[in-house]
Amino acid sequence: MRIANHNSRAVLLTSDEAGVDIHTASDGRFGPDLPSLYTEWEAFTAWAQRLSGLAADVAIDRSLLGSPSPAPRQIFAIGLNYSAHAKESGFDAPDQLPPVFTKFVSSLAGPDTEVVLPAGGNTDWEVELVAIIGKEASNVSASNAWDYVAGLSIGQDISERVSQLRGPAPQFGLGKSFPGFGPVGPWLVTVDEFENPDDLEISCSLDGEEVQKGRTSELIFSVPALVEGLSATVTLLPGDIIFTGTPAGVGLGRSPQRFIQPGETLVSHIEGIGEITQTFIAAGN
């Protein structure tokens, strides 16, 4: 299944252009919004899998798409989870759970957005596979972890490097949480839709130039391993978002370094999910 947050209503997609309003189709049982689906995820998916032959009643307007989890209680972001990215960042690849930080909920945005570049900053790109939790998870083993994942989406962990790295200690959470710095979308794709959810092509381009490309099979800690590692310490809640890490090719790791400029467009793509697009404007415009 592919489920979109369209005009703040949960929509089960029948194509990229159309879908079924879940609240209407379920006679009010589920929805109308996405957060309420996550609180009843198992009941909802059991109901949805029995559906057949429903005519689409929603025309998808991408300008109305929001994050497929618009109100998570927790957002986790994982650093240094691809070996080549760890190397370009000046670190050894982690042999235990990689660095974990947060992006604040106010940074969340939908898939196709306009983002203001902070004045005096160096704003960077980080395309990431996003996992959205479907049911409460505590001390979950990796072998069972996919059962706790509602689905996958695309995220950009947009990062302002000046404030992120300013001393005396790095401010990862703040440097990565300016307004619009957490776009996610274009929709949630349930795990059963993928032939292999652990091996998806991931890429992004800046103004038509491919700047990152890899496969999620290159993750040092896979989605199940991250769910196991995180849930050993914290309780993962329905609707929580995990940004799983970015492959090599970020602007900070280039020589010379390269950062996003006003007027540029960033397009991020993951196989089997789709793409998201961010355009950037200068502060004060």
Side-chain angles (χ1 to χ4, degrees), residues 38 41-42 132-138 147-150 236-239:
Y38 295 120
W41 187 252
E42 289 184 307
I132 299 175
I133 298 300
K135 62 180 180 179
E136 186 173 304
S138 179
D147 293 340
Y148 292 81
V149 176
L236 303 178
L237 303 171

Side-chain angles (χ1 to χ4, degrees), residues 139-274:
N139 291 309
V140 170
S141 69
S143 61
N144 297 323
W146 278 122
D147 293 340
Y148 292 81
V149 176
L152 302 175
S153 196
I154 306 168
Q156 261 290 340
D157 177 21
I158 301 172
S159 305
E160 197 290 286
R161 302 301 192 186
V162 174
S163 58
Q164 175 191 338
L165 300 174
R166 182 185 294 130
Q171 292 276 14
F172 273 61
L174 291 179
K176 293 168 172 280
S177 292
F178 286 88
F181 271 37
V184 177
W187 30 68
L188 175 142
V189 182
T190 55
V191 177
D192 59 295
E193 290 288 312
F194 301 96
E195 182 176 343
N196 182 357
D198 288 306
D199 184 26
L200 306 173
E201 185 178 89
I202 179 170
S203 65
C204 75
S205 62
L206 184 64
D207 263 17
E209 175 192 356
E210 186 174 83
V211 290
Q212 288 183 282
K213 187 173 184 178
R215 300 196 69 86
T216 61
S217 56
E218 299 165 355
L219 283 165
I220 300 170
F221 283 74
S222 66
V223 171
L226 291 174
V227 170
E228 178 181 81
L230 291 170
S231 71
T233 300
V234 300
T235 299
L236 303 178
L237 303 171
D240 281 356
I241 290 175
I242 303 172
F243 284 77
T244 61
T246 197
V250 301
L252 184 67
R254 293 173 175 264
S255 182
Q257 292 179 343
R258 162 90 159 91
F259 299 107
I260 299 169
Q261 302 302 309
E264 292 186 322
T265 298
L266 185 67
V267 179
S268 307
H269 179 269
I270 296 181
E271 176 186 0
I273 302 175

Side-chain angles (χ1 to χ4, degrees), residues 78-82 85-86 88 125-128 157 161 202 212 219 244-248 250:
I78 309 300
L80 309 179
N81 204 17
Y82 289 79
H85 175 58
E88 72 177 354
W125 57 86
E126 294 192 16
V127 62
E128 308 207 5
D157 177 21
R161 302 301 192 186
I202 179 170
Q212 288 183 282
L219 283 165
T244 61
T246 197
V250 301

